[in-house]
Amino acid sequence: MKLLMIEDNKSVSEMMSMFFQKENWEVIFAYDGDEAIELFNQHAQEWDVITLDLNLPGKDGMEVAKEIRDVSQTVPIIMLTARDSESDQVLGLEYADEYVTKPFSPITLIARIKALYRRSGLQEEHKAQEKAQEKKFDIQTKNFKLSSATREAYLLEQEIPDLTPKEFDLLKALSSKPKQVFTREQLLQQVWGYDYFGDERTVDAHIKKLRHKVEQVGPQIIQTVWGVGYKFDDSDVQTK
């Protein structure tokens, strides 16, 4: 872990330094607000956690926190202060993730740092998974893409809105094989299941609603093949 401790009281810094060494953390100390900003900016993307005293010479902790947040919205910050009023805590948490009042136990601070570090790591992992998931499309053509993971479909980079489960499944079935004609019976089997004994007009009703939603974002891509059924074809879609 790479930690920046911003603390004007050198005796507190020296005490915490011993505990940090036991954890094998890389720690850099700043003793006033201006030095803190300078050190932070030198390695802005590398800090794992920042502990920040509210009462600092030069720029105070609140100013430092604001400038850090202007650069990074995600780096975890623990605010350290002798103030303990509710208004100070609320103000501090506008920029910080945790709020620890002095005097504090070094062991407690170490535990809070570890917990915040784990939490931020899980959040970043979750964001990375979401980002990867967003980029994963089962079906993708020049003008259309569909993700089963998020159950979203896009035409000309605009999301087709408010798709019901059956509408999404219909669109997926059709777009999985562009230009192939599907009979109503085939669509009933694929989307409703082999044991579904519904009227083929059920397909027509859902296709009508699906088309209406498609037309909200672009040209029609669900085409009727008279006397047979339906097909997906976006080859004639013109981008603006």
Side-chain angles (χ1 to χ4, degrees), residues 112-177:
R112 297 285 284 276
I113 291 171
K114 287 180 177 179
L116 184 57
Y117 178 61
R118 284 195 301 269
R119 193 164 75 227
S120 66
L122 289 172
Q123 288 172 345
E124 289 303 311
E125 182 180 345
H126 183 61
K127 288 177 183 177
Q129 289 173 346
E130 285 185 333
K131 203 168 187 180
Q133 189 181 59
E134 286 171 3
K135 292 182 179 180
K136 184 180 178 182
F137 295 103
D138 305 85
I139 299 166
Q140 190 162 7
T141 68
K142 183 179 179 181
N143 303 302
F144 175 84
K145 52 190 177 183
L146 177 147
S147 169
S148 295
T150 60
R151 294 190 70 82
E152 295 172 339
Y154 296 83
L155 177 62
L156 299 174
E157 299 301 328
Q158 295 188 69
E159 184 179 356
I160 300 172
D162 304 321
L163 291 174
T164 66
K166 282 293 182 286
E167 289 165 358
F168 178 87
D169 292 342
L170 261 177
L171 184 56
K172 181 180 179 181
L174 290 163
S175 61
S176 65
K177 296 181 179 179

Side-chain angles (χ1 to χ4, degrees), residues 4 7 18 22 54-55 65 73 83 87 94 100 110 129 153 156-157 160 167 170 177 185 189 191 211 222 234 239:
L4 175 61
E7 171 60 63
M18 294 185 292
K22 290 180 181 179
L54 189 58
N55 298 308
Q73 291 292 319
R83 303 177 189 175
S87 60
E94 181 179 351
V100 176
I110 292 289
Q129 289 173 346
L156 299 174
E157 299 301 328
I160 300 172
E167 289 165 358
L170 261 177
K177 296 181 179 179
E185 183 180 6
Q189 291 176 344
V191 176
R211 280 175 162 167
I222 307 299
D234 71 333
T239 57

Side-chain angles (χ1 to χ4, degrees), residues 32 49 176 198 206 208:
D32 63 58
V49 176
S176 65
H206 281 78
K208 182 178 179 180

Side-chain angles (χ1 to χ4, degrees), residues 58-73:
K59 294 179 180 177
D60 67 18
M62 208 68 71
E63 291 179 275
V64 172
K66 184 178 184 303
E67 290 193 32
I68 289 173
R69 282 289 174 250
D70 287 341
V71 176
S72 172
Q73 291 292 319

